[in-house]
Amino acid sequence: DAGVIQSPRHEVTEMGQEVTLRCKPISGHNSLFWYRQTMMRGLELLIYFNNNVPIDDSGMPEDRFSAKMPNASFSTLKIQPSEPRDSAVYFCASSLQGDQPQHFGDGTRLSIL
Amino acid sequence: EDKVVQSPLSLVVHEGDTVTLNCSYEVTNFRSLLWYKQEKKAPTFLFMLTSSGIEKKSGRLSSILDKKELFSILNITATQTGDSAIYLCAVAGGADGLTFGKGTHLIIQP
C-alpha cells in the first residue's frame, strides 16, 4: 500500500519566492497534519485537517504560511514570501482519526537562501 | 499549553547495552502517548499507550506508561547499531492532534 506521499523531496530557492509543498495522505485516513522539523525546535505541528476541514492552525508561524485541503486526497502548504528562517524539513502525516498513530511522509527538505 | 519533555536529549552507548529513554508530559484531557523512531527520514510508529502499568513489547523494545506520575519510558535491551535514531515521544490531549517532545538522539557504537 502506498504511504503518505510528499513532493518535492528537496527544494532550494531564494528568499522572497513562493514555495508550495504537496501531500497525498493514505487513502481512507480522515486526519492530515503538517509539521516542521528543525534541530533547534524539534517537530512542531503547524496545522491539521479533519475531513478536509482545518481544525487547528495555531502552529502556523505567521501569515506567510497557508495550507489547503481541497479534497480528501490532496493538501498543500504554501509559504509566500519565503525567508531563510523557513528552512527546515516539512513533514505531512495522516491518521485514521486525530489521536491515532500517524503515518509520516518522507518529508520535504526546504532550503531558503 | 500542552508540554512533552524527553530526556536525555542525547545518549551514546556501546552495542549490547540496555538503554532507558524518558518522556514526561503535562497535557489536558490525556488520551494516549505514542513513541516513534526516526532514522534518516520520517518518524515511524513504535507504540501507543493508553493505560497505566501495562507494558507494550516488540522484540527488544518495550514501553510502559504511568498516568499518575505523568511519564513513560522506552527500554531497548541488547542494543544494536541499527537502533541508532532519534526517538520521539508524542501525547494526544486537549484538542485533536499530537504534541511532540524534542526527541532523544540515541547513538549505538559498535
Side-chain angles (χ1 to χ4, degrees):
Chain A
D1 286 341
V4 175
I5 299 172
Q6 289 186 247
S7 65
R9 295 287 297 274
H10 192 175
E11 179 160 350
V12 181
T13 193
E14 290 185 324
M15 66 178 290
Q17 298 296 307
E18 179 179 294
V19 171
T20 299
L21 312 182
R22 295 173 174 79
C23 176
K24 179 176 163 52
I26 292 173
S27 177
H29 281 192
N30 294 318
S31 297
L32 181 140
F33 305 81
W34 281 101
Y35 291 92
R36 176 173 67 176
Q37 187 175 40
T38 61
M39 288 289 292
M40 292 296 293
R41 300 172 70 93
L43 200 62
E44 300 173 279
L45 176 66
L46 299 176
I47 186 171
Y48 81 93
F49 295 84
N50 200 37
N51 295 321
N52 313 342
V53 176
I55 302 299
D56 182 2
D57 65 353
S58 58
M60 296 284 261
E62 47 198 273
D63 291 345
R64 298 184 296 107
F65 285 68
S66 62
K68 293 183 181 177
M69 191 164 185
N71 57 62
S73 59
F74 183 64
S75 177
T76 59
L77 177 69
K78 190 174 288 190
I79 309 173
Q80 166 64 16
S82 57
E83 296 182 4
R85 60 191 167 125
D86 301 330
S87 298
V89 179
Y90 290 81
F91 286 105
C92 175
S94 71
S95 66
L96 284 169
Q97 291 176 16
D99 57 354
Q100 293 296 304
Q102 295 176 13
H103 299 261
F104 282 75
D106 285 342
T108 294
R109 183 173 295 277
L110 179 64
S111 300
I112 308 296
L113 305 178
Chain B
E1 186 182 325
D2 294 347
K3 197 163 129 180
V4 177
V5 177
Q6 291 187 245
S7 63
L9 290 178
S10 179
L11 188 58
V12 181
V13 300
H14 286 113
E15 215 170 8
D17 287 351
T18 293
V19 297
T20 299
L21 311 183
N22 305 293
C23 175
S24 64
Y25 61 89
E26 292 175 27
V27 299
T28 53
N29 191 28
F30 173 90
R31 291 194 295 281
S32 61
L33 184 145
L34 297 88
W35 284 97
Y36 287 82
K37 177 182 181 182
Q38 185 176 21
E39 296 175 86
K40 290 181 182 169
K41 292 183 181 174
T44 54
F45 171 72
L46 293 175
F47 298 112
M48 179 170 164
L49 302 151
T50 55
S51 302
S52 265
I54 298 175
E55 186 182 54
K56 293 246 176 152
K57 219 168 152 51
S58 175
R60 295 175 295 101
L61 276 66
S62 63
S63 183
I64 198 159
L65 173 67
D66 186 328
K67 286 164 77 172
K68 186 178 170 192
E69 300 297 330
L70 308 182
F71 78 91
S72 173
I73 59 171
L74 176 68
N75 271 325
I76 309 175
T77 58
T79 52
Q80 303 171 358
T81 54
D83 297 326
S84 297
I86 297 172
Y87 289 84
L88 295 165
C89 172
V91 174
D96 282 337
L98 298 177
T99 301
F100 279 83
K102 285 194 165 51
T104 293
H105 191 179
L106 177 63
I107 297 173
I108 311 296
Q109 291 183 334

